[in-house]
Amino acid sequence: MSVAEDFYSAEEAVADYVAAQEQKDQLRFLTCGSVDDGKSTLIGRLLYDTKLIFEDQLAALEKDSRRHGTVGEDIDLALLVDGLEAEREQGITIDVAYRFFATDKRKFIVADTPGHEQYTRNMATGASTADLAVLLVDARHGLMVQTRRHAFIASLLGIRHVVLAVNKIDLVNFSEERFNQIKAEFEQFASGFDFETLQAIPMSARYGDNVTGKSEKMPWFAGPTLLEHLEAVQVGEHELEAPFRFPVQWVNRPNLDFRGYSGTVASGRVKVGDEIVVAGPAKTSRVEKIISPLGEVEAARAGDAVTLTLEDEIDISRGDLLADPAARPDVADQLAAHLIWMSDDALLPGRSYLLKNGTKTVNATVSEIKHKINVNTFEHTAGKTLDLNEIAFCNLTTASPIAFDPYEANRTTGAFILIDRMTNATVGAGMVWFALRRATNIHWQALDVNKAARAEKLGQKPVVLWFTGLSGSGKSTIASIVEKKLHLEGRHTYTLDGDNVRHGLNKDLGFSDADRVENIRRVGEVAKLMTDAGLITLVSFISPFKAERQLVRDMLDDGEFIEIFVDTPIDECRKRDPKGLYAKADRGEIKNFTGIDSPYEAPENPELRIENTGDPEVAAQKVLDLLEQKGLLTNSNFVSHGDYI
Amino acid sequence: MTLPEDRLSNLRRLEAESIHIIREVAAEFRNPVMLYSIGKDSGVMLHLAMKAFYPSKPPFPLLHVDTTWKFRDMITFRDETAKRLGLELLVHTNPEGLEKGIGPFSHGSSLHTHVMKTEALKQALDKYGFDAAFGGARRDEEKSRAKERVFSFRNASHGWDPKNQRPELWNLYNARVSKGESIRAFPLSNWTELDIWQYILTENIPMVPLYFAAKRPVVNRDGMLIMVDDERMEIKPGETVEEKMIRFRTLGCYPLTGAIESNADTLEAIVREMLIARTSERQGRLIDQDESASMEKKKREGYF
Ligand SMILES: Nc1nc2c(ncn2[C@@H]2O[C@H](COP(=O)(O)OP(=O)(O)OP(=O)(O)O)[C@@H](O)[C@H]2O)c(=O)[nH]1
Ligand SMILES: [Mg+2]
């Protein structure tokens, strides 16, 4: 090794080099735009031209290009980035690739995102952590729906710096006119987005024109190359100028003498001695110590992962937000937000989802879709549900208040995700616009006459017996026998079923998925009030969706919800067909009929499953046996609260 | 406007991001574990975990999947590290593989890796019922890794579905899993090899001596320099054992890990060497060279 000799003499040089590297800042950006516009090729080009491709990787690339390449004999630079087997076979990008490169001026983390509409959520993933977007346009095709969608999502996610890369300029003879045309069209389209910088650059990712080196073929273009621009653009740090916010991640309690709160400073600064407030309870204290990865320090700033100790012992746990008392966040349980929907299962208003904001996770429902947004025209359209990749402005209600800022003011405390409670999938990305109603204004009337008192008076333990099953399975028949028997034993009961609810309270609802969800939500709320009144409530509703039954279960206290699955096979139900409904559905006269053209999701762990015995009396007895077994029928006049089972 | 000197430097930003991820896992999961593979990335990850919870200890154990073919120096270093830091260390070896005597020389690299690493890892995760496992993988290591989420969802049989990953926005990681499913968490996702060495240098993190150049006995086999680490290595006819100044860029099972000739015996020299390197660190790993898609395939089967 000939270089070996100057290794040791150069130790200091290395130390200097490392110190210089340390001072470099980092720019995170993404490439986006319509399918096949050359995003992956562009990243491949950047990596290649900045000499980041090692010899063994280059050899592999040449081999891959021969096998999967889309550019004849040349090496296909997109294959450097499209790393999944399926991507290489299909010649498209499916999911984000994160790649890294550096120049003398900066370090870059780039997310190469897919152009296909189907994978829009992966584009949003890449955009959520980026400071700048390189939006590609194929010079031949100009702006496409996907170009507009991506520009809109980038702007919605708070990206303030955009490069409009007019790519494949080689295929339009390096035409200045075409470039100006596309640039003008985009500037007009994006005028409402308030991007701080918008730089249009004509380029050819494939041949490298204006990517890292100036193109000789376009002397008419006086602007910077892409790399020059990426090295120079000042993206600012908005989170540093925002007020102090600190979502508590973890309470650090090694022994009785130390109680620290670990987390990442979401915005602003904090120093020893500063007053802080716990948003919500509004308790205040002062910062006693700040422990950073470097040891104890005097101050911390946005982006720092630290542990704070406070002067006073106050009750703080994961999910709490510490804030600057002079500029407090909103605390509310109702808010308006933009929502990007990312699941194949449509968003259903009224359905319960998990909402994660900062370090807090709560139950939440979308109470109303105010309007959907057409990404092409920005027109507002009405809608009852939200499908994959659609964007809407919504009202949300959370089960308990959360502390947040508008997304515009704070990209960390104003962001949330929605998680499906059944599949655990991440289904929505939200950006808070404002609080609808301050939580401080809501006080539940604290009544002395409460559920426990009422139950005690009635001498029973209130529960909800929830009968679910197909139409004609025998739910109502069984429920009515159970109610009679309970009544004879002196219990206080009430039955909710389609007949007394669908015709009154819910007569505005039909049988679409969205309406079915709302139907069950209302029935659940009524059952909850009945329970509060101390009654044993029997509900017989088809209630086909797991998520809604879970929603009702969650509304009630532990042990109050007893799910009874009347499991009669559909053929048997059809044979019985007491109301002639199956016959009608088969003739197509009824739409969305459960079991025919609308699904029934059977309970996995019901408290009781009644496999059809043919005799409703026997079935009813099973229900009563279960109640007996659970100790719900013991004649107690002393029901202590929280001791229902 | 922020002044340049007020900016978070590159390493400090990476460090904070990793600590955030580590804390998030500890706070959200019932039973997490940190995969400790003794190499430089594991070393950095462990160092970050110590910082994340200071003055407490990390609230999870370390797990080493021992194929029984690791360099002897690695095992010594592993035990010293756990002791020095006062952490619980779990070691798991696939008992069936052990019984059948599976090894890289007798059974080839891919069967060995499958049985002694992938299967062994799955056994260990099932045995202890871990619902989250930290790994020190970086996105810059390999092209399918570049596609992986920070919280990478694994189904009940530990498989990765690259075409259907959960969206992952901001730093809001989705930690929800059903019974049997799990998350592999990668706190070092956004670090590069150079970042790792710079951080080791700045923080002075102890490393296995094998990363530093020294005279060691090696055999040139199929174009790779394989170190003769114990008597299980048979010298084939025509091969000679030579003493060479060598070091390793990555560490694994000794029969599958190629050395490079080097004089770099200090951290500074290693960084310097990296800066002029013309091949990637994976070059030295026999198991990764079979096929372009081999890493993705292994990951779909449950490999880290
Ligand atoms: N002539 C020419 N072809 C280009 C240029 N840039 C990309 N291409 C070709 O366009 C095709 C698509 O390129 P990709 O980089 O895969 O496009 P993409 O935008 O990443 O596609 P998705 O990620 O699937 O949306 C490839 O065959 C490229 O070689 C360019 O500047 N000029
Ligand atoms: Mg692509």
Side-chain angles (χ1 to χ4, degrees):
Chain A
M1 293 210 94
S2 60
V3 279
E5 286 81 72
D6 40 47
F7 256 46
Y8 307 99
S9 56
E11 279 207 3
E12 275 173 11
V14 170
D16 286 351
Y17 170 83
V18 169
Q21 289 293 309
E22 254 300 275
Q23 289 317 308
K24 277 188 195 173
D25 68 353
Q26 207 189 63
L27 180 74
R28 296 193 182 199
F29 71 98
L30 81 153
T31 52
C32 55
S34 194
V35 67
D36 263 359
D37 284 356
K39 300 174 288 295
S40 304
T41 307
L42 178 63
I43 301 305
R45 168 62 63 189
L46 276 169
L47 296 174
Y48 187 81
D49 284 0
T50 50
K51 307 264 180 306
L52 274 151
I53 307 304
F54 291 118
E55 280 164 8
D56 51 317
Q57 294 168 332
L58 203 58
L61 174 64
E62 279 163 13
K63 211 170 95 195
D64 289 348
S65 298
R66 263 174 272 137
R67 209 157 112 210
H68 300 295
T70 59
V71 286
E73 290 298 292
D74 289 357
I75 54 168
D76 186 347
L77 291 166
L79 291 176
L80 278 174
V81 201
D82 288 335
L84 299 177
E85 233 167 39
E87 294 178 326
R88 303 154 85 75
E89 275 158 18
Q90 299 170 37
I92 57 162
T93 304
I94 291 173
D95 211 333
V96 206
Y98 294 91
R99 301 300 303 244
F100 310 83
F101 67 99
T103 65
D104 291 342
K105 304 209 172 64
R106 262 190 179 158
K107 295 215 170 197
F108 299 93
I109 298 183
V110 49
D112 177 42
T113 70
H116 265 271
E117 181 183 350
Q118 191 188 345
Y119 307 120
T120 301
R121 59 183 177 210
N122 297 335
M123 177 272 172
T125 292
S128 68
T129 49
D131 298 314
L132 176 146
V134 178
L135 183 67
L136 279 87
V137 179
D138 184 326
R140 294 170 302 174
H141 307 318
L143 305 189
M144 313 282 284
V145 180
Q146 272 302 84
T147 326
R148 296 195 171 92
R149 186 192 306 269
H150 282 186
F152 181 49
I153 292 177
S155 134
L156 209 55
L157 285 170
I159 293 178
R160 292 283 155 263
H161 303 272
V162 169
V163 174
L164 181 73
V166 179
N167 191 35
K168 305 199 188 181
I169 198 83
D170 53 295
L171 297 179
V172 295
N173 287 320
F174 303 93
S175 160
E176 177 176 15
E177 197 192 336
R178 183 71 184 133
F179 170 73
N180 285 333
Q181 209 178 1
I182 293 173
K183 176 170 180 266
E185 196 190 338
F186 184 78
E187 281 171 350
Q188 213 227 324
F189 167 78
S191 58
F193 287 163
D194 65 58
F195 293 133
E196 282 169 33
T197 67
L198 171 57
Q199 175 70 54
I201 304 175
M203 70 180 76
S204 168
R206 179 160 170 198
Y207 300 104
D209 296 77
N210 285 340
V211 178
T212 60
K214 238 182 178 40
S215 170
E216 283 162 19
K217 307 214 177 67
M218 290 173 278
W220 48 263
F221 181 67
T225 64
L226 176 64
L227 191 61
E228 280 167 3
H229 181 70
L230 293 175
E231 283 183 322
V233 66
Q234 286 300 321
V235 294
E237 284 190 280
H238 295 277
E239 58 281 10
L240 205 52
E241 287 141 36
F244 173 66
R245 300 284 185 261
F246 185 80
V248 174
Q249 259 189 307
W250 194 72
V251 179
N252 195 334
R253 198 90 220 269
N255 54 56
L256 290 177
D257 302 329
F258 186 93
R259 182 197 285 270
Y261 306 101
S262 302
T264 304
V265 181
S267 59
R269 301 166 185 283
V270 67
K271 49 182 201 314
V272 171
D274 278 359
E275 198 187 358
I276 58 97
V277 62
V278 188
K283 283 179 241 151
T284 58
S285 182
R286 282 181 192 284
V287 175
E288 181 193 45
K289 274 188 211 157
I290 303 174
I291 298 164
S292 87
L294 298 170
E296 221 181 295
V297 291
E298 277 300 302
R301 42 149 286 153
D304 281 335
V306 294
T307 297
L308 307 178
T309 67
L310 303 179
E311 286 177 5
D312 310 276
E313 285 243 341
I314 42 182
D315 180 25
I316 297 175
S317 48
R318 174 174 166 87
D320 283 331
L321 182 68
L322 308 188
D324 175 357
R328 300 179 187 218
D330 281 316
V331 178
D333 63 357
Q334 291 192 18
L335 49 98
H338 278 111
L339 203 58
I340 303 176
W341 197 248
M342 306 190 294
S343 165
D344 291 325
D345 298 330
L347 161 83
L348 299 179
R351 177 169 279 188
S352 165
Y353 298 94
L354 292 171
L355 180 153
K356 185 170 182 183
N357 160 253
T359 53
K360 192 172 185 115
T361 305
V362 295
N363 284 332
T365 59
V366 170
S367 38
E368 190 184 357
I369 297 174
K370 303 294 283 185
H371 58 255
K372 299 197 209 184
I373 300 166
N374 176 320
V375 295
N376 231 345
T377 60
F378 301 139
E379 265 168 10
H380 294 178
T381 56
K384 277 197 146 186
T385 64
L386 199 59
D387 288 324
L388 179 66
N389 298 327
E390 288 193 315
I391 298 168
F393 190 63
C394 306
N395 289 349
L396 288 99
T397 306
T398 56
S400 53
I402 57 170
F404 57 83
D405 294 286
Y407 188 77
E408 214 179 20
N410 198 311
R411 239 175 129 178
T412 306
T413 55
F416 64 87
I417 54 170
L418 293 181
I419 299 171
D420 186 291
R421 303 170 53 102
M422 293 296 141
T423 64
N424 291 322
T426 307
V427 291
M431 287 125 302
V432 180
W433 200 247
F434 50 76
L436 283 173
R437 186 179 67 170
R438 301 282 139 91
T440 40
N441 302 334
I442 339 161
H443 314 278
W444 279 101
Q445 212 56 40
L447 294 173
D448 288 326
V449 182
N450 55 19
K451 178 157 70 181
R454 290 187 207 98
E456 196 177 320
K457 182 138 230 169
L458 298 179
Q460 64 183 28
K461 296 170 185 175
V463 286
V464 174
L465 304 178
W466 189 279
F467 294 81
T468 171
L470 295 169
S471 172
S473 59
K475 298 181 296 296
S476 301
T477 316
I478 300 169
S480 102
I481 299 173
V482 172
E483 183 170 30
K484 262 181 227 144
K485 297 207 166 174
L486 288 172
H487 188 78
L488 284 175
E489 280 184 32
R491 307 285 161 189
H492 304 267
T493 60
Y494 193 79
T495 294
L496 294 167
D497 65 17
D499 289 338
N500 62 8
V501 177
R502 276 268 180 202
H503 296 152
L505 177 64
N506 288 0
K507 86 174 160 207
D508 56 328
L509 299 177
F511 290 89
S512 66
D513 283 0
D515 280 2
R516 280 173 186 270
V517 169
E518 176 60 12
N519 183 38
I520 298 303
R521 189 192 66 79
R522 288 188 201 169
V523 172
E525 290 289 359
V526 173
K528 183 180 173 181
L529 294 176
M530 299 263 173
T531 309
D532 205 45
L535 300 177
I536 295 174
T537 312
L538 299 93
V539 181
S540 57
F541 269 82
I542 299 174
S543 46
F545 303 135
K546 265 189 226 163
E548 278 62 58
R549 297 190 301 259
Q550 182 67 38
L551 169 75
V552 179
R553 188 184 286 273
D554 292 340
M555 280 177 193
L556 297 162
D557 287 342
D558 276 354
E560 281 180 356
F561 183 82
I562 296 178
E563 189 172 27
I564 299 160
F565 176 26
V566 185
D567 189 6
T568 309
I570 185 152
D571 293 339
E572 175 64 26
C573 298
R574 188 194 285 277
K575 223 186 293 165
R576 295 180 189 163
D577 203 7
K579 301 178 198 160
L581 296 173
Y582 283 93
K584 276 193 189 164
D586 285 341
R587 289 197 300 272
E589 289 164 27
I590 309 178
K591 284 264 163 299
N592 298 326
F593 193 74
T594 302
I596 307 277
D597 56 350
S598 182
Y600 178 78
E601 300 169 7
E604 273 157 19
N605 295 306
E607 274 73 7
L608 181 65
R609 162 187 255 112
I610 300 177
E611 276 172 283
N612 188 253
T613 54
D615 184 351
E617 291 283 345
V618 175
Q621 193 52 49
K622 285 191 178 169
V623 177
L624 294 166
D625 289 348
L626 176 77
L627 298 182
E628 186 76 58
Q629 221 180 65
K630 288 190 176 282
L632 293 167
L633 297 181
T634 50
N635 225 340
S636 138
N637 279 312
F638 309 98
V639 182
S640 67
H641 190 70
D643 186 28
Y644 296 127
I645 286 194
Chain B
M1 213 50 227
T2 323
L3 300 171
E5 57 268 31
D6 193 33
R7 284 186 171 279
L8 274 190
S9 75
N10 178 57
L11 284 182
R12 292 297 155 210
R13 190 165 167 182
L14 290 171
E15 177 186 60
E17 182 181 75
S18 303
I19 289 176
H20 181 85
I21 293 162
I22 294 171
R23 286 174 175 164
E24 206 56 15
V25 171
E28 289 244 16
F29 288 90
R30 193 175 33 83
N31 189 18
V33 68
M34 181 168 275
L35 267 289
Y36 179 64
S37 66
I38 318 167
K40 61 186 187 305
D41 302 312
S42 281
V44 166
M45 179 166 68
L46 182 54
H47 186 78
L48 290 164
M50 295 301 291
K51 288 190 177 220
F53 302 102
Y54 178 84
S56 296
K57 288 261 151 73
F60 41 75
L62 304 180
L63 171 66
H64 179 230
V65 175
D66 192 352
T67 62
T68 73
W69 289 90
K70 301 291 167 189
F71 290 91
R72 284 173 303 165
D73 270 3
M74 290 172 72
I75 303 301
T76 314
F77 184 84
R78 174 194 77 190
D79 295 340
E80 278 171 12
T81 302
K83 204 161 144 218
R84 174 170 54 87
L85 302 177
L87 298 177
E88 183 187 359
L89 170 73
L90 308 169
V91 177
H92 180 82
T93 303
N94 182 346
E96 288 108 60
L98 203 58
E99 198 178 308
K100 294 205 182 91
I102 304 281
F105 291 132
S106 48
H107 295 80
S109 66
S110 84
L111 185 72
H112 166 73
T113 305
H114 183 72
V115 176
M116 300 309 279
K117 282 178 92 172
T118 309
E119 290 303 317
L121 171 65
K122 293 200 258 181
Q123 285 171 352
L125 297 178
D126 290 340
K127 176 172 158 196
Y128 296 99
F130 294 123
D131 53 356
F134 290 102
R138 292 174 281 110
R139 285 170 172 157
D140 92 318
E141 274 179 75
E142 200 274 337
K143 64 186 179 311
S144 68
R145 295 242 197 251
K147 293 270 165 184
E148 197 162 10
R149 301 280 189 261
V150 172
F151 273 37
S152 183
F153 177 80
R154 300 300 164 106
N155 63 24
S157 44
H158 305 281
W160 180 50
D161 182 2
K163 287 202 310 195
N164 197 17
Q165 300 193 82
R166 288 178 177 175
E168 188 168 80
L169 288 99
W170 302 289
N171 61 1
L172 294 175
Y173 302 106
N174 177 352
R176 315 291 295 195
V177 291
S178 298
K179 202 163 184 313
E181 299 167 344
S182 61
I183 293 286
R184 304 273 171 94
F186 298 109
L188 304 182
S189 287
N190 288 332
W191 294 59
T192 64
E193 190 186 4
L194 186 59
D195 295 325
I196 292 286
W197 282 114
Q198 281 177 15
Y199 191 67
I200 292 169
L201 184 63
T202 328
E203 296 276 317
N204 208 2
I205 305 172
M207 283 292 132
V208 186
L210 294 160
Y211 284 116
F212 300 90
K215 276 219 175 314
R216 298 185 173 101
V218 288
V219 162
N220 190 329
R221 184 172 288 180
D222 305 326
M224 302 233 298
L225 291 176
I226 304 295
M227 179 171 151
V228 186
D229 197 47
D230 61 33
E231 69 298 334
R232 288 178 295 178
M233 174 140 173
E234 276 175 41
I235 310 302
K236 296 181 185 165
E239 285 179 344
T240 47
V241 181
E242 294 169 87
E243 288 279 318
K244 284 198 162 144
M245 271 304 267
I246 55 149
R247 66 178 203 88
F248 295 87
R249 276 176 79 179
T250 150
L251 293 176
C253 294
Y254 82 81
L256 302 176
T257 310
I260 53 169
E261 287 191 69
S262 163
N263 289 319
D265 58 359
T266 63
L267 283 170
E268 285 82 358
I270 288 173
V271 171
R272 167 85 197 253
E273 199 177 84
M274 267 219 54
L275 293 171
I276 52 174
R278 293 303 313 144
T279 56
S280 75
E281 60 190 309
R282 297 230 145 235
Q283 168 87 341
R285 292 197 192 169
L286 210 50
I287 52 161
D288 295 336
Q289 288 172 29
D290 313 348
E291 222 186 306
S292 220
S294 72
M295 174 63 85
E296 179 183 341
K297 190 161 152 283
K298 279 187 296 181
K299 289 169 74 64
R300 281 192 258 139
E301 291 164 357
Y303 185 74
F304 242 89

